[in-house]
Amino acid sequence: GQQLNQSPQSMFIQEGEDVSMNCTSSSIFNTWLWYKQDPGEGPVLLIALYKAGELTSNGRLTAQFGITRKDSFLNISASIPSDVGIYFCAGQPSGGGADGLTFGKGTHLIIQP
Amino acid sequence: DGGITQSPKYLFRKEGQNVTLSCEQNLNHDAMYWYRQDPGQGLRLIYYSQIVNDFQKGDIAEGYSVSREKKESFPLTVTSAQKNPTAFYLCASSIKRRASAGELFFGEGSRLTVL
């Protein structure tokens, strides 16, 4: 199956810092999605991207669909304690339903007081 | 409120026993999915169903079984044939419309531990 490389694997930051993470793929995706998972809970959709070059914001979160359609980026500005969790990217190839969704292995965000 | 309910939250099983994890949704979604999550891993698809009375194997279906007798319900049975069943199991649903099919709504998960 398709492989998604998500980096970094984990991040230790100070409250108030900005955060950047990304996902790259060896193949072209038509949709990129970013999810956040709190400990012991199910993931929650943060941002969905459907067009190459698209830049979408959700509060302090901004995500971009790479122009090559093989990558996506998520930025979090001015991090706060509730941002702690695991962030997953997911990509969907052309014409597929969610059965074709591939998930990255996640970026574990830890905020030090 | 609409959502997905998984039960039980925690489950312990002895080797050789089958267990069934419940997943119920009241979002009126056509499609439902079961994923398995292991530490440090992404989500891996076990089974999915896009319509009542029909379901398809995902990437890691061996040792699992499902049924879809009602639109709202998609239970997962972890059988004794699953060699490494200890994991966090997530149920999800989505609207079947293709453009937003990747927008999954997840339950809170069920953690299965085999003793």
Side-chain angles (χ1 to χ4, degrees):
Chain A
Q2 287 135 348
Q3 299 291 323
L4 280 187
N5 294 313
Q6 185 171 351
S7 64
Q9 186 175 4
S10 58
M11 302 183 72
F12 295 81
I13 64 168
Q14 301 285 336
E15 182 177 350
E17 288 185 23
D18 296 342
V19 172
S20 292
M21 60 190 78
N22 70 84
C23 271
T24 59
S25 169
S26 57
S27 55
I28 291 173
F29 285 166
N30 276 3
T31 302
W32 283 98
L33 307 113
W34 286 92
Y35 290 85
K36 183 197 176 194
Q37 184 177 30
D38 290 329
E41 302 291 330
V44 174
L45 180 65
L46 298 174
I47 294 178
L49 303 160
Y50 295 103
K51 187 176 178 181
E54 180 180 356
L55 186 71
T56 298
S57 292
N58 178 5
R60 292 178 296 104
L61 278 62
T62 301
Q64 184 164 22
F65 192 141
I67 198 71
T68 65
R69 296 169 64 192
K70 292 185 177 182
D71 55 11
S72 180
F73 306 87
L74 176 69
N75 295 318
I76 305 173
S77 62
S79 59
I80 60 177
S82 62
D83 291 334
V84 166
I86 304 176
Y87 292 79
F88 290 100
C89 63
Q92 187 175 37
S94 172
D99 56 285
L101 208 58
T102 299
F103 283 84
K105 293 186 177 182
T107 294
H108 195 176
L109 180 62
I110 299 165
I111 298 178
Q112 299 167 326
Chain B
D1 290 343
I4 299 180
T5 302
Q6 288 186 240
S7 64
K9 180 77 171 175
Y10 300 95
L11 185 61
F12 297 89
R13 184 193 97 175
K14 293 182 179 179
E15 284 191 21
Q17 289 181 336
N18 293 353
V19 294
T20 297
L21 308 180
S22 170
C23 179
E24 302 279 334
Q25 56 101 356
N26 59 5
L27 298 167
N28 199 33
H29 285 172
D30 290 303
M32 297 186 74
Y33 312 84
W34 274 104
Y35 287 89
R36 171 179 172 140
Q37 185 177 25
D38 295 285
Q41 300 295 316
L43 278 64
R44 292 185 292 168
L45 183 64
I46 304 173
Y47 268 99
Y48 65 98
S49 168
Q50 298 198 3
I51 196 170
V52 174
N53 292 322
D54 186 52
F55 48 83
Q56 306 295 328
K57 292 181 178 180
D59 300 320
I60 56 165
E62 185 175 353
Y64 300 98
S65 66
V66 294
S67 63
R68 187 85 187 275
E69 297 177 0
K70 299 186 300 181
K71 186 176 183 178
E72 303 80 18
S73 180
F74 191 41
L76 173 74
T77 296
V78 184
T79 75
S80 57
Q82 168 51 234
K83 299 305 179 187
N84 185 21
T86 294
F88 191 52
Y89 291 89
L90 287 160
C91 180
S93 69
S94 71
I95 299 172
K96 195 178 175 184
R97 190 173 70 238
R98 177 175 293 177
S100 59
E103 296 181 16
L104 302 178
F105 290 79
F106 284 90
E108 294 189 342
S110 293
R111 185 168 298 281
L112 172 63
T113 302
V114 175
L115 304 173

